[in-house]
Amino acid sequence: MSAISLDIEPTTLDIIRTESIGKRFGSLEVLDNISLGVRQGEILALLGASGCGKSTLLNILSGLLAPDRGEVLIQGKPAGQFSHWERVAYLFQEDRLLPWRNVQQNVNFGLENSKLSHSSRRGRVEDALRLVGLHDFRHAWPHQLSGGMRSRVALARSLVVEPEILLMDEPFSKLDPQTRSVMHDELLRIQRLKGVTVVMVTHDVEEAVVLADRVVLLKPNPGRIHRIIDIALPRPRIPTEPSVAERSRLLRLEV
Ligand SMILES: Nc1ncnc2c1ncn2[C@@H]1O[C@H](COP(=O)(O)OP(=O)(O)OP(=O)(O)O)[C@@H](O)[C@H]1O
Ligand SMILES: [Mg+2]
């Protein structure tokens, strides 16, 4: 039985906490001693070189993968006991749209296992499509959509469950810079509106600086937390603005 903590440490605000997580694949040690708190309502970016374990860590946070050592606490409870997994959404790197379903049906897929009534589901799907600006395209098929629109459908499918926690693995990495920047604005707008906590993996230093409240810099072999950096810059953060560009430059030196 876990005790309720009444201390007023900053960690009491953490919606997710990992405690000394370690993970191996065979003889390969991928993650070592990852202790990390994610604050309620923040955007946390996981940044690091390819292979340093970012996706593995996100998979562990999502519950898809079990750590070998340590544990994940969600709202203070061991993740295995957490009974609200529908409030955690995972947006994968590829959009994973089902080509034989139209936009509306793809978004509804996020609710397939929910106990909501048919009409509540319909309402949720409509709200999510409006939120990402795709309501007029609800009957379109995935092959008729641009890359940015596909990303929006995938985002709507995550939002339709009204998640408290949104996990994203390089969701915009395949988009052209202009569309990516539009999606950044969309994400920030929706995140502010809904107060959702976001943990996102990125390779892209500029993306981390533009979006994140804090950046967790991971170093490889095995993946460890090197540094956690507060990006205390006012929003909107325009990449070409000197303060933003300078922050990106300094961070790039560390990655
Ligand atoms: N299921 C698995 N089985 C065996 N090895 C794995 C598995 N998943 C990941 N790995 C290995 O673990 C290491 C970390 O992989 P991971 O995908 O977490 O890295 P990443 O930081 O997300 O990299 P990238 O930026 O390229 O996406 C890599 O060496 C990878 O080959
Ligand atoms: Mg990855």
Side-chain angles (χ1 to χ4, degrees), residues 221-239:
N221 306 317
R224 291 196 177 115
I225 295 178
H226 175 63
R227 214 151 84 77
I228 300 180
I229 301 143
D230 261 300
I231 309 288
L233 293 170
R235 292 194 170 94
R237 298 173 185 160
I238 316 290

Side-chain angles (χ1 to χ4, degrees), residues 142-151 175 179:
H143 74 268
Q144 298 172 314
L145 305 177
S146 69
M149 289 161 95
R150 292 178 67 102
S151 287
L175 302 177
T179 313

Side-chain angles (χ1 to χ4, degrees), residues 25 28 30 48-57 93 170 201 203:
F25 290 114
L28 181 71
V30 179
S50 184
C52 72
K54 303 181 296 296
S55 297
T56 304
L57 180 54
Q93 185 164 351
E170 306 197 44
V201 164
H203 263 116

Side-chain angles (χ1 to χ4, degrees), residues 155-212:
L155 185 58
R157 189 178 50 194
S158 305
L159 295 170
V160 80
V161 301
E162 299 191 346
E164 281 178 69
I165 301 168
L166 179 58
L167 306 173
M168 309 170 92
D169 195 351
E170 306 197 44
F172 311 131
S173 62
K174 292 208 183 78
L175 302 177
D176 63 86
Q178 203 177 340
T179 313
R180 192 181 312 148
S181 155
V182 171
M183 288 308 295
H184 289 166
D185 292 346
E186 281 290 277
L187 176 67
L188 288 169
R189 178 180 66 80
I190 292 167
Q191 193 264 344
R192 194 167 307 166
L193 195 69
K194 298 288 180 183
V196 59
T197 304
V198 177
V199 182
M200 66 178 303
V201 164
T202 182
H203 263 116
D204 181 343
V205 169
E206 191 177 280
E207 179 167 81
V209 170
V210 165
L211 292 178

Side-chain angles (χ1 to χ4, degrees), residues 14-66:
D14 292 343
I15 188 166
I16 308 175
R17 265 168 68 198
T18 70
E19 294 189 339
S20 307
I21 277 186
K23 182 72 192 172
R24 306 178 145 265
F25 290 114
S27 59
L28 181 71
E29 191 174 11
V30 179
L31 292 173
D32 180 44
N33 198 24
I34 305 283
S35 292
L36 179 64
V38 183
R39 298 172 188 158
Q40 175 105 41
E42 80 170 329
I43 301 181
L44 187 79
L46 305 177
L47 182 70
S50 184
C52 72
K54 303 181 296 296
S55 297
T56 304
L57 180 54
L58 211 60
N59 284 336
I60 290 174
L61 295 182
S62 75
L64 286 178
L65 193 67

